[in-house]
């Protein structure tokens, strides 16, 4: 039997045709598909600007750069996330500060953010874990009053909404990722979404070596071939081939989200009252959407979690654990002095969590198999 993974892409003939058309065109990179994908993302996410990058981590690096964070500054994030949420801040030489999670949403507990803010805090990076949108309305104005830039890591949350607000509301920049397990894919890819023109300009420079050809921004020359490198940027460009795939995928995004929510309902109906598994429910009002990148299941303790993980894997269900708390990574222990017990809620969550299959292309038979297996556990 083929393994059933916790997540996987959905590619159809229209995606393949879109890529093939681009391969036959004049531009493989820096062409019209990149601009087109960015416009489509703006329309879909309800924001003014989008800058697509070669991957989500590069996009986050750009956001930390645009925020102006540097050596000596601090940024705050959640311990329950992938390394990439913080790596951009580390690349800029800043120091990580963690704020423990809220046990209901599994996101950073925004009520406690102010306890860890210092006069060095430059950026706050909340993460919408698993697709459940982190609710920033309560704190955004206070953070702005303190001059703090909010970078929403919405890698898991394309299409998510809370009380009618999308992922770009109540933040300065939001990042989405197009890795194959995410909602839509470009193979590798990511984007920053923003309504702020200053950040937009910085991000565009950063993506392309800090180079501009815009006549209005040139300082030392005006010749038609002339360009200037004005910042230290990188080659973080995304290709037209990837963006053609992204545009084709984005057309299916609402369908994908609907299916993810159907799957969540099925799991919730099966295990909502279970004593073995703690499962979560999707929102039931029209103004809120959990985009369910992951479907996290909590076991009663670490021993049960290990048994369940091994049991599922031994039966061809490729479950995963999201995430080993970031502060417990050897890099964080040795460079920043973090250790066990620092963030008890995150550590307890980690010890009990397993992500079960959640992707639109899962068949009804596969879903039934996963559910029957869990019932037998
Ligand atoms: C929460 C989070 N942030 C950032 C990233 C980085 O995205 P990418 O893999 O596109 O670099 C990921 C990727 O898995 C992620 O899960």
């Amino acid at each position: 039997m083929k393994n059933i993974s916790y997540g996987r892409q959905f590619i159809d003939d229209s995606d393949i045709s879109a890529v093939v058309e681009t391969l036959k065109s004049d531009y493989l990179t820096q062409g019209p598909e990149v601009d087109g994908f960015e416009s489509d993302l703006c329309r879909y996410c309800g924001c003014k600007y989008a800058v697509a990058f070669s991957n989500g981590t590069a996009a986050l690096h750009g956001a930390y750069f645009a925020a102006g964070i540097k050596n000596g500054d601090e940024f705050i994030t959640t311990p329950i996330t992938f390394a990439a949420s913080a790596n951009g801040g580390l690349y800029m030489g800043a120091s990580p500060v963690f704020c423990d999670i809220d046990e209901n949403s599994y996101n950073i507990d925004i009520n406690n953010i102010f306890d860890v803010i210092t006069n060095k805090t430059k950026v706050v990076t909340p993460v919408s874990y698993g697709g459940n949108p982190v609710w920033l309305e309560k704190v955004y104005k206070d953070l702005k009053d303190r001059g703090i830039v909010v970078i929403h890591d919405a890698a898991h949350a394309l299409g998510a909404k809370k009380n009618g607000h999308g992922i770009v509301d109540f933040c300065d920049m939001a990042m989405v990722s197009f890795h194959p397990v995410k909602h839509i894919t470009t193979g590798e890819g990511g984007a920053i979404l923003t309504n702020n023109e200053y950040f937009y300009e910085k991000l565009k420079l950063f993506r392309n070596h800090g180079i501009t050809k815009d006549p209005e921004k040139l300082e030392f020359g005006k010749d038609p071939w002339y360009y200037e490198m004005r910042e230290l940027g990188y080659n973080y460009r995304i290709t037209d081939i990837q963006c053609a795939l992204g545009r084709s995928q984005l057309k299916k995004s609402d369908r994908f989200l609907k299916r993810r929510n159907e799957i969540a309902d099925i799991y919730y109906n099966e295990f909502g009252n279970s004593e073995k598994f703690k499962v979560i429910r999707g929102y039931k009002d029209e103004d809120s959407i959990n985009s369910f990148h992951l479907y996290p299941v909590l076991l009663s303790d670490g021993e049960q979690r290990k048994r369940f993980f091994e049991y599922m894997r031994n039966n061809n269900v490729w479950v995963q654990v999201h995430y080993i708390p970031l502060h417990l990574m050897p890099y964080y222990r040795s460079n920043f002095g973090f250790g066990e017990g620092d963030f008890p809620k995150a550590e307890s969550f980690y010890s009990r969590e397993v992500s079960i299959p959640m992707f639109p292309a899962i068949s009804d038979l596969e879903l039934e198999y996963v559910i029957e297996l869990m019932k037998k556990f």
Side-chain angles (χ1 to χ4, degrees), residues 12 14-16 18 243-253:
D12 66 12
S14 64
D15 297 319
I16 294 167
C243 289
L245 178 56
R247 295 185 82 181
S248 173
Q249 287 262 300
L250 196 57
K251 289 183 193 148
K252 297 185 268 279
S253 184

Side-chain angles (χ1 to χ4, degrees), residues 55-286:
N55 57 69
T57 308
L60 276 173
H61 189 188
Y64 281 102
F65 166 83
I69 199 167
K70 56 183 186 320
N71 197 303
D73 293 335
E74 292 174 353
F75 61 95
I76 299 171
T77 193
T78 165
I80 294 296
T81 190
F82 184 56
S85 302
N87 278 352
L90 301 181
Y91 301 154
M92 299 306 298
S95 301
V97 171
F98 292 102
C99 175
D100 211 346
I101 61 165
D102 163 60
E103 285 160 309
N104 294 315
S105 67
Y106 312 152
N107 287 328
I108 194 168
D109 190 338
I110 49 153
N111 296 309
N112 297 335
I113 284 179
F114 292 97
D115 296 345
V116 290
I117 284 178
T118 70
N119 56 12
K120 294 182 184 162
T121 308
K122 184 89 188 181
V123 167
V124 172
T125 308
V127 180
S128 287
Y129 173 85
N132 186 21
V134 58
W135 186 230
L136 298 168
E137 184 179 22
K138 251 168 90 178
V139 290
Y140 184 60
K141 188 173 174 308
D142 279 354
L143 293 173
K144 291 323 298 167
D145 288 348
R146 292 170 194 238
I148 292 170
V149 176
V150 179
I151 301 174
H152 177 190
D153 181 337
H156 299 183
L158 183 68
K161 269 201 303 191
K162 189 103 181 244
N163 303 334
H165 292 280
I167 55 175
V168 200
D169 293 340
F170 311 122
C171 70
D172 297 294
M173 291 173 266
M175 187 281 287
V176 283
S177 162
F178 311 125
H179 180 274
V181 291
K182 302 295 183 346
H183 301 85
I184 64 165
T185 190
T186 57
E188 294 281 355
I192 298 291
L193 312 166
T194 183
N195 288 309
N196 181 309
E197 191 179 355
Y198 171 83
F199 292 140
Y200 171 65
E201 296 293 344
K202 285 273 178 196
L203 290 160
K204 277 206 312 189
L205 274 182
F206 192 71
R207 174 177 67 179
N208 191 21
H209 301 282
I211 287 174
T212 183
K213 290 179 185 163
D214 181 346
E216 298 205 343
K217 298 194 180 96
L218 299 174
E219 218 180 330
F220 295 99
K222 294 231 176 302
D223 293 311
W225 61 84
Y226 185 71
Y227 60 86
E228 281 178 356
M229 176 178 148
R230 303 194 57 85
E231 308 264 12
L232 180 58
Y234 290 73
N235 177 354
Y236 279 161
R237 297 187 301 257
I238 191 167
T239 65
D240 277 54
I241 306 164
Q242 290 166 291
C243 289
L245 178 56
R247 295 185 82 181
S248 173
Q249 287 262 300
L250 196 57
K251 289 183 193 148
K252 297 185 268 279
S253 184
D254 284 339
R255 183 148 59 85
F256 291 165
L257 280 182
K258 191 162 167 266
R259 176 69 179 148
R260 285 179 183 273
N261 275 272
E262 272 168 19
I263 297 166
D265 280 350
I266 293 171
Y267 284 141
Y268 188 80
N269 289 339
E270 291 290 347
F271 301 109
N273 295 320
S274 160
E275 288 182 1
K276 280 207 184 101
F277 306 110
K278 182 182 170 198
V279 293
I280 49 172
R281 191 174 189 199
Y283 294 109
K284 290 294 158 210
D285 67 291
E286 285 207 341

Side-chain angles (χ1 to χ4, degrees), residues 21-29 31-32 240:
E21 282 311 303
T22 304
L23 286 171
K24 291 180 188 162
S25 77
D26 290 337
Y27 289 95
L28 298 188
T29 192
D240 277 54

